[in-house]
Amino acid sequence: MNVFIIPSWYPGTRNPMAGSFIAEQAKAMAELPNVNIAVSLWGQASLEINPRRVRSFLSFLKWCGQRKSFSERFEGLYEAYNPAVYWSHRLPLGGVKRLRGANLDNFNAVKDKLGGVDLIHAHVGYPAGCLAEHISERTGVPYVLTEHMGPFPFPSLLRRGRLIPELLSAYANASRVIAVSPAQAAMMKLYGISNPLVIPNFVDEREFDCALPQGEKFGFLTVCSVTVAKGVGDLLRAIALWRPSAGKVEFRIIGDGPDFHYFRSESERLGISDLVNWYGAVPRNQIATFFKGCHAFVMPSHCESFGMVYAEAIACGKPVIATKCGGPEFIVNGGNGVLVEVADVDSLCRALQDIHNNWTHFSASDIRRDFMKRFSRFAVSRSLMQVYEEVSHADTSLKREP
């Protein structure tokens, strides 16, 4: 089976973490027997122009000279690249139409190189879902659409409180629409998308596995973009409310973001700088080491469609503290952690203390076993493969009817 993947987000030079879970899923699916995965790239975030930022136009000039390419990244995983400049659909001559030609060219390149395409899989409704619909109309190849947007939908994709027509059409014409959590599926239904199938993102259990905590102190880990939306301020205030001994407890915060310097200064103002270690951005291939080395994971986010970091934590057998903000309720339960209300600093403080005091009550092997059943590469790729086969076989049957 040859699958053509169109990702709205994908790791690139400007943002190596963007859509990393999509890239990892593509690689894992390509490892299945008799499956080839080809990813359509146009520059994604690298070629997106923001008219208010001069650097965007400088990026445009830099990328204009790039040429099409087709390469095999790993066995069974290919990338078709065709640079295309993109700007908002709310501006003249902008939007998804600018990307149609590049992605159709990529599709045809994959078709020629691999001898055909059986299925298109789009990740995120806009622009990828709209592009998949366009290519499907031109070629007759069916498509499935996985939505990752959180919160759903992004405000820019609404018009008078409704989804923009091209996005609604992309959902309506997909052979399957997939949500990554029940909470996201429920939100999608409110906007007229009927019966999304829930298939979560997955974590590669070979990279994230159980290990004993490292260091003499009890280590809480947070991995996120350092922003208000990820609850970093709530976490700092909860730490200040608890004020454990700096000789016994430490908080390790991994990630960069627009509010990084503000929150680092805030930790000093709150008098907890001796408790918090700020690591900044860490390469993706080093993240698993931090998960394995901590005692527990905490991220009090304000909204998550899924929450990959929670799944990565339980893959390593670590208990989790999360908020009831959508995706975490699908991942965190009484056996693997604690859920608190969004922005409830008092409850968050108590949860930190409870996990610290009762950490030995959590079984790393039980947490890992639960993860394997629900969010491992094996479990989720099997569900995706079932969808691929159902859609491609149904399409073949329809074509054979007189």
Side-chain angles (χ1 to χ4, degrees), residues 90-270:
R90 293 181 291 183
L91 296 173
L93 305 177
V96 70
K97 293 179 181 179
R98 299 203 57 79
L99 303 175
R100 287 177 176 174
N103 281 272
L104 186 58
D105 285 350
N106 283 345
F107 177 92
N108 288 328
V110 170
K111 182 179 177 181
D112 291 342
K113 295 285 187 178
L114 302 184
V117 174
D118 301 293
L119 181 74
I120 303 168
H121 188 173
H123 287 271
V124 188
Y126 196 93
C130 300
L131 295 168
E133 181 188 26
H134 175 73
I135 295 173
S136 180
E137 288 175 348
R138 292 291 189 93
T139 64
V141 176
Y143 70 98
V144 299
L145 170 53
T146 296
E147 190 52 79
H148 301 271
M149 263 191 272
F152 181 90
F154 293 158
S156 62
L157 300 175
L158 289 174
R159 187 177 299 161
R160 299 186 183 92
R162 300 188 62 189
L163 294 174
I164 58 176
E166 53 264 52
L167 185 53
L168 275 173
S169 179
Y171 293 126
N173 291 304
S175 295
R176 294 285 191 283
V177 175
I178 299 169
V180 292
S181 71
Q184 188 186 48
M187 186 61 69
M188 292 170 73
K189 289 178 183 178
L190 294 177
Y191 286 90
I193 305 161
S194 60
N195 301 319
L197 178 65
V198 176
I199 299 179
N201 292 321
F202 64 71
V203 173
D204 192 332
E205 61 274 13
R206 298 166 300 182
E207 299 293 329
F208 293 81
D209 55 14
C210 288
L212 292 174
Q214 299 298 311
E216 297 179 0
K217 299 179 183 180
F218 188 98
F220 285 98
L221 176 68
T222 301
V223 179
C224 67
S225 175
V226 182
T227 63
V228 172
K230 294 298 182 181
V232 176
D234 302 330
L235 176 60
L236 296 180
R237 287 188 287 275
I239 297 169
L241 189 61
W242 178 18
R243 292 190 183 276
S245 168
K248 296 182 178 180
V249 177
E250 68 174 330
F251 291 83
R252 307 160 188 164
I253 299 181
I254 308 295
D256 202 350
D259 300 326
F260 180 87
H261 295 292
Y262 168 77
F263 282 125
R264 190 165 187 173
S265 297
E266 184 70 358
S267 69
E268 295 174 359
R269 188 189 70 79
L270 291 169

